[in-house]
Amino acid sequence: RVQVEGACIPLQISDLAILFVQTPAEIQDQPDDFTLCEFENATFTADVSGEGLVYQWEESRDGGSSWSALSDAGVYIGSATKTLTIFSVGRDMDGYQYRLQVSGICGAPVTSDEVLLTVNTSPEILTQPVTFTACEDEQAPFVVEAQGTSLVYQWQVNDGSGFSDILTTDVLYTGADTDSLSILNAQLPMAGWSYRVIVTGTCTPPAVSDPVLLLVNPNPPINLEPED
């Protein structure tokens, strides 16, 4: 305020005037990388201070070489706020990057850190194992081809009493916890046993292969030896 005095009284005091200091846009808390399973929702958020803020989220699909502004359409919502949500993320979005552009009344616009979207996928069997016919005392392999994130394999056998896990310590087999199971020494009593593999990973549900059979052909026996 100002106080004015002169030769005559009374003095005059002005109304109060307030000084407001507006601050430029400043990112206080950066967004973080986000990892999720396919078809889940992803959220990126930043904490920003400043006056008259305007937000714009951007997306890069080529490792950060080029960026495009997002809008609230399709799977995106919150593209013009401090929190971006992506609904039902697909595996094709794995590796996409995001950043937030913020402008305000004062100062130059600021850009957040670039953050990465990682999409994990559920186990999926691409090639099923097949029934195998072995000769007695030979090896018999069963192989599965699967895809997904951080896959773990568990082969099972059904000898007529239901499926049970094959232990890695079982001397009849190798590869019980891999994509390739080998029966080291097929025997006639094993003929008709069925095998399958359960594939688990970072995301659910697990994938279970089709059951396949082990068939064992006997070696030709000599029932009557020749005589002198």
Side-chain angles (χ1 to χ4, degrees):
R1 69 182 184 181
V2 63
Q3 180 174 295
V4 183
E5 296 183 75
C8 300
I9 57 172
L11 61 83
Q12 295 295 313
I13 299 176
S14 73
D15 296 337
L16 293 177
I18 300 175
L19 172 65
F20 293 97
V21 180
Q22 295 179 324
T23 56
E26 183 179 0
I27 296 178
Q28 305 290 341
D29 190 12
Q30 296 284 350
D32 297 316
D33 295 337
F34 201 94
T35 300
L36 76 170
C37 290
E38 188 178 17
F39 305 125
E40 292 181 346
N41 300 333
T43 300
F44 297 103
T45 189
D47 186 16
V48 187
S49 64
E51 306 295 335
L53 299 179
V54 177
Y55 303 92
Q56 178 60 65
W57 283 94
E58 296 180 333
E59 178 184 76
S60 175
R61 302 184 180 188
D62 55 8
S65 297
S66 61
W67 293 86
S68 58
L70 295 174
S71 60
D72 286 1
V75 297
Y76 304 102
I77 191 170
S79 59
T81 71
K82 67 178 183 179
T83 300
L84 173 71
T85 301
I86 309 172
F87 292 95
S88 191
V89 176
R91 66 182 63 186
D92 59 313
M93 300 179 73
D94 182 45
Y96 283 13
Q97 291 176 282
Y98 297 87
R99 69 184 184 186
L100 177 62
Q101 297 274 11
V102 187
S103 59
I105 294 175
C106 303
V110 293
T111 304
S112 74
D113 293 344
E114 300 169 2
V115 289
L116 180 67
L117 177 63
T118 300
V119 184
N120 295 326
T121 56
S122 300
E124 180 181 357
I125 294 177
L126 303 178
T127 304
Q128 296 282 351
V130 295
T131 292
F132 191 87
T133 301
C135 289
E136 188 179 0
D137 301 322
E138 288 185 346
Q139 287 192 6
F142 294 108
V143 180
V144 68
E145 182 184 357
Q147 68 179 8
T149 304
S150 301
L151 297 181
V152 176
Y153 300 87
Q154 178 59 64
W155 285 91
Q156 296 183 323
V157 60
N158 182 358
D159 58 5
S161 57
F163 279 103
S164 60
D165 291 347
I166 299 174
L167 302 179
T168 55
T169 55
D170 194 325
V171 296
L172 294 177
Y173 306 95
T174 61
D177 57 352
T178 72
D179 60 357
S180 301
L181 175 73
S182 270
I183 300 165
L184 298 177
N185 193 10
Q187 299 297 309
L188 289 178
M190 302 172 70
W193 288 11
S194 58
Y195 295 84
R196 70 181 184 186
V197 63
I198 298 177
V199 187
T200 57
T202 301
C203 303
T204 58
V208 182
S209 74
D210 298 336
V212 292
L213 292 176
L214 171 65
L215 304 177
V216 184
N217 289 329
N219 295 327
I222 295 178
N223 297 317
L224 179 64
E225 294 285 353
E227 297 179 355
D228 296 338

